[in-house]
Amino acid sequence: MEERVVIEGVKHIVAVASGKGGVGKSTVTVNLALAMAAEGYRVGILDADIHGPSQAQMLGVGEGVRPQSAGENRFRPLQAHGLQAMSMAFMVDTREPMVWRGPMVAGAFQQLLTQTAWDDLDYLFIDMPPGTGDIQLTLAQKVPVSGAVIVTTPQDIALLDARKGIEMFRKVNVPVLGVVENMSLHICSKCGHGEPIFGEGGGERIAAEYETRVLGQLPLTLSIREQVDGGRPTVVAEPDGEVTASFRDMARQVAEQLQRQSPDGPTISFSDD
């Protein structure tokens, strides 16, 4: 196997992936990263979706904001809501399409990852593009990934693709830390009634099938979408809310699993405050 590149300034790399688009993976990534930071860790986020980066808007980084140089062929990550962040959106005009073939996309991802001067991160969350293509293989084969989080909805078609994501990480010996079931219930903004419009129990079924865990279940609500679109994700906008509590519980589970894998890694005691 090709030797993996150690990423300077990063203790743990966590890939957040899905087999298909449209399941809310980027929303989960940014809120999970913010929740981990709220637990007291130093956290970064890398937007690996070269063709369709979304983290700049979700983090409230304005168009045209560019990272500063950190020496030859190195850039300092931008700071947003306490996170260190890097994205192709910080490098180019986001209105321009990235008309690149697979090897160019994989190369751009590798440059963003290795040429960013990450500053003593406990956890770097990577918002993966949907699918199991070049970027996923580049990450899995060339970078020491500590674990992966799979995002799905209860819908059968989403579960089919989530299985592919889990299988890919298993083939390259990356531990799957758990499944996040997004859009578990639609919560009516008028009356508060909850309805499982995408089905029920999908997250539990796939977690049981692959002997992993359901990290959490998230509702489909208007507020979550409005908050990320406005650059203030839920963990920032509603720090004491129920959804934020769910994300912080997920962050604790991820940290606990990775600390068991690497006892010399960061250790912080948790509280329910």
Side-chain angles (χ1 to χ4, degrees):
M1 179 179 290
E2 186 175 353
E3 185 176 354
R4 294 183 177 182
V5 178
V6 176
I7 307 302
E8 293 183 16
V10 179
K11 293 186 179 74
H12 289 296
I13 294 176
V14 179
V16 183
S18 65
K20 66 186 273 79
V23 299
K25 171 185 50 59
S26 294
T27 297
V28 170
T29 304
V30 69
N31 277 296
L32 187 56
L34 289 165
M36 190 71 86
E39 291 295 321
Y41 294 102
R42 294 177 63 87
V43 182
I45 188 168
L46 172 63
D47 190 345
D49 194 341
I50 305 299
H51 288 301
S54 57
Q55 290 297 340
Q57 179 170 340
M58 290 185 170
L59 289 168
V61 178
E63 180 71 37
V65 177
R66 300 287 182 256
Q68 295 181 342
S69 173
E72 186 175 359
N73 295 324
R74 300 269 287 172
F75 295 94
R76 299 188 191 282
L78 296 183
Q79 300 288 328
H81 299 307
L83 301 178
Q84 298 177 37
M86 182 55 69
S87 170
M88 182 59 73
F90 304 157
M91 302 293 188
V92 299
D93 185 339
T94 55
R95 294 169 295 185
E96 294 295 324
M98 305 302 293
V99 189
W100 290 354
R101 296 186 183 276
M104 293 179 66
V105 172
F109 160 70
Q110 196 165 1
Q111 285 183 293
L112 288 177
L113 178 61
T114 61
Q115 294 181 7
T116 299
W118 304 107
D119 184 13
D120 193 26
L121 293 180
D122 296 316
Y123 297 97
L124 175 63
F125 286 87
I126 300 186
D127 183 9
M128 303 295 292
T132 54
D134 291 283
I135 287 182
Q136 285 82 356
L137 289 175
T138 297
L139 178 72
Q141 293 175 346
K142 297 185 178 182
V143 179
V145 181
S146 299
V149 172
I150 304 297
V151 181
T152 187
T153 65
Q155 193 175 8
D156 288 342
I157 192 67
L159 294 170
L160 285 174
D161 290 322
R163 286 184 175 89
K164 296 176 185 176
I166 294 175
E167 290 284 2
M168 183 202 69
F169 285 114
R170 287 174 59 141
K171 287 181 185 299
V172 293
N173 298 316
V174 172
V176 174
L177 304 174
V179 175
V180 176
E181 186 183 85
N182 197 22
M183 309 180 196
S184 293
L185 282 175
H186 171 251
I187 306 298
C188 177
S189 59
K190 299 294 184 182
C191 68
H193 173 69
E195 185 177 9
I197 60 176
F198 291 122
E200 293 182 271
E204 288 94 341
R205 290 195 300 274
I206 198 170
E209 181 179 346
Y210 287 98
E211 298 181 337
T212 185
R213 67 174 71 182
V214 176
L215 294 171
Q217 296 172 302
L218 298 167
L220 173 62
T221 64
L222 178 63
S223 62
I224 294 176
R225 193 273 301 166
E226 290 177 334
Q227 287 158 356
V228 292
D229 280 355
R232 287 179 55 81
T234 304
V235 172
V236 173
E238 298 180 7
D240 299 319
E242 291 185 12
V243 174
T244 293
S246 294
F247 277 116
R248 292 190 66 164
D249 180 64
M250 293 181 217
R252 294 183 185 115
Q253 293 182 65
V254 168
E256 288 165 0
Q257 289 188 73
L258 293 181
Q259 286 167 14
R260 285 198 298 269
Q261 292 177 20
S262 178
D264 294 332
T267 56
I268 291 180
S269 60
F270 296 121
S271 69
D272 295 326
D273 294 341

